[in-house]
Amino acid sequence: MAIDEIQVSDADAGPYGIVVGPDRALWFTLVHRGAVGRLGDGGEVTVYPLDPADGGPTVIAAGPDEALWFTEFKGDRIGRIGTDGAISAFPVPGAGPYGIAAGADGALWFTAMRTDRIGRITTDGTVTGYDLPVKGGMPSMIAAGADDGLWFTLNQGNAIGRIGLDGEIVIHPLPTEGAAPVGITAAGDGAMWFVEIGAGQIGRIEPDGKIEEFPLPDRAAKPHAIVSGPGGGCYFTEWGANRVGWITGYGVVEEYDLPTAGSEPHGITIGPDGAVWTALEIGALARIA
């Protein structure tokens, strides 16, 4: 397993979220710099500052409109950046938006951590929201499922939720107390996979709500983000252990140490080159081939 690190910012900028754009480049957020970055296939790095720069851009997703959409957790905004670098921002007052994902209805769906809601924003900026039945649950990441629903984690609610395109919400409590789920992704087998940062486990939930949990070899690894890989397996970051992990559809785990100690891996994606890419808060992107 070959791992390379590509410096994309200084260590204080904090690369956080990462995704492949419609231009096949890697787009990432700089949470402490207040900017969005782009790594082209030739290795060139472009940084687009946000105005204002204090919004804390966090999670970024490819939209249905050939643009990238991202959350500004501190700034209470949803942002949009075109592949030409043109930036728009849409206020969501008091929401604390964090996770964001494109839905099957052509809109973007996001979590509102501070208001216990799931939000929906159309590509023209129209925002609606849905109250969650769990208060203080801190909805975190969100991902579209194969069933056209949006599945999300409740970090402090210790549960996985699903919201349909009609706004109907179902909550599935987790078996492990204090699991504190964060990242979530749809795997090729129709299930949703998620990470439990508080319990050091990877979880899997079927469309009918059946849950399995797989303990990691290092329960203090603090898994953070997860992305679907080949064969129904998933790659995930171990933020507290400086590693990237792989779990098969049968729950077998492999782990890969990152070259630089204390690199704090956060977001993760599969690049256009088929390699695994993760954003490192030390100012780099890691490529795992």
Side-chain angles (χ1 to χ4, degrees), residues 36-284:
V36 173
R38 177 187 184 274
L39 176 65
D41 57 10
E44 67 280 5
V45 177
T46 309
V47 174
Y48 300 94
L50 303 178
D51 185 16
D54 60 357
T58 44
V59 179
I60 187 166
D65 56 349
E66 298 294 302
L68 291 305
W69 290 73
F70 56 94
T71 54
E72 292 187 71
F73 176 74
K74 292 181 180 178
D76 290 328
R77 291 182 292 271
I78 303 296
R80 177 191 185 275
I81 183 167
T83 54
D84 60 355
I87 298 171
S88 306
F90 305 94
V92 284
Y98 185 74
I100 189 167
D105 57 350
L108 285 301
W109 292 71
F110 62 93
T111 57
M113 289 185 78
R114 285 196 284 264
T115 56
D116 294 312
R117 307 187 90 202
I118 301 298
R120 177 184 184 272
I121 183 169
T122 62
T123 54
D124 66 1
T126 302
V127 178
T128 51
Y130 302 88
D131 291 325
L132 296 176
V134 177
K135 300 306 174 187
M138 282 182 61
S140 299
M141 295 288 200
I142 188 168
D147 59 355
D148 288 347
L150 285 300
W151 293 75
F152 55 92
T153 54
L154 287 166
N155 179 261
Q156 294 300 297
N158 215 54
I160 304 298
R162 180 192 182 276
I163 183 168
L165 299 179
D166 58 359
E168 182 180 353
I169 296 168
V170 180
I171 303 296
H172 303 280
L174 293 177
T176 300
E177 186 177 350
V182 185
I184 189 167
T185 190
D189 58 2
M192 303 298 293
W193 288 75
F194 56 92
V195 295
E196 298 179 355
I197 196 170
Q201 299 186 138
I202 306 298
R204 166 191 165 97
I205 183 168
E206 301 283 357
D208 63 2
K210 178 185 176 184
I211 295 171
E212 290 181 272
E213 295 172 312
F214 304 94
L216 295 177
D218 177 5
R219 300 295 290 275
K222 297 190 183 300
H224 180 269
I226 189 167
V227 67
S228 176
C234 297
Y235 291 96
F236 55 93
T237 53
E238 295 187 14
W239 174 71
N242 206 54
R243 289 189 293 255
V244 168
W246 160 255
I247 185 167
T248 70
Y250 300 100
V252 179
V253 175
E254 296 180 9
E255 297 172 309
Y256 311 102
D257 291 323
L258 294 170
T260 303
S263 60
E264 295 189 76
H266 278 286
I268 191 168
T269 194
I270 306 297
D273 56 357
V276 181
W277 290 79
T278 182
L280 310 179
E281 268 208 75
I282 59 168

